[in-house]
Amino acid sequence: MTQEISDTAAAAAFRRLVTHLQHRHDAENIDLMGLAGFCRNCLADWVMEATNEAGGNMTKDEAREAIHGMPAAEWKKKYQSEATPEKLQLMQESIAKNASAS
């Protein structure tokens, strides 16, 4: 249960996850979506939503840059390849499983 994780431990683990994702450019967003139903962009959206709900002000572009470690357009140009029909199908199947986690 997430309640058993302290905010300090959660923040440290989150920062480690972001560092890991910034290092592992070979793990493309489409692959993450196909396997886990979320990607860097999803994580950025969650950060933006949490920041704004807490009274802060963060845009989608600012959140994506924080997660990608560079502007999202630059990351996409450097590291994102064209998604194959098979990867898109896996992504759709994986996303469908997310409904029960909301």
Side-chain angles (χ1 to χ4, degrees):
M1 301 217 314
T2 57
Q3 295 85 356
E4 296 172 4
I5 303 170
S6 72
D7 287 347
T8 301
F14 171 78
R15 287 184 182 94
R16 188 171 178 183
L17 172 62
V18 170
T19 299
H20 184 77
L21 290 172
Q22 289 176 356
H23 172 71
R24 290 295 308 270
H25 301 296
D26 60 311
E28 291 191 44
N29 284 339
I30 191 74
D31 297 323
L32 295 171
M33 290 295 290
L35 291 171
F38 84 100
C39 68
R40 291 169 183 83
N41 295 334
C42 299
L43 191 58
D45 290 348
W46 300 339
V47 167
M48 178 191 69
E49 291 167 7
T51 299
N52 295 340
E53 287 172 6
N57 185 23
M58 180 177 268
T59 67
K60 184 176 280 202
D61 288 339
E62 290 168 337
R64 290 189 177 185
E65 185 168 345
I67 299 302
H68 287 84
M70 65 185 70
E74 181 182 340
W75 189 93
K76 186 176 178 178
K77 184 177 176 182
K78 284 183 166 184
Y79 303 111
Q80 185 171 307
S81 62
E82 192 69 33
T84 65
E86 294 80 16
K87 287 184 177 186
L88 290 169
Q89 179 63 36
L90 282 173
M91 179 188 76
Q92 292 300 321
E93 291 170 3
S94 183
I95 290 172
K97 296 176 184 177
N98 289 352
S100 61
S102 299

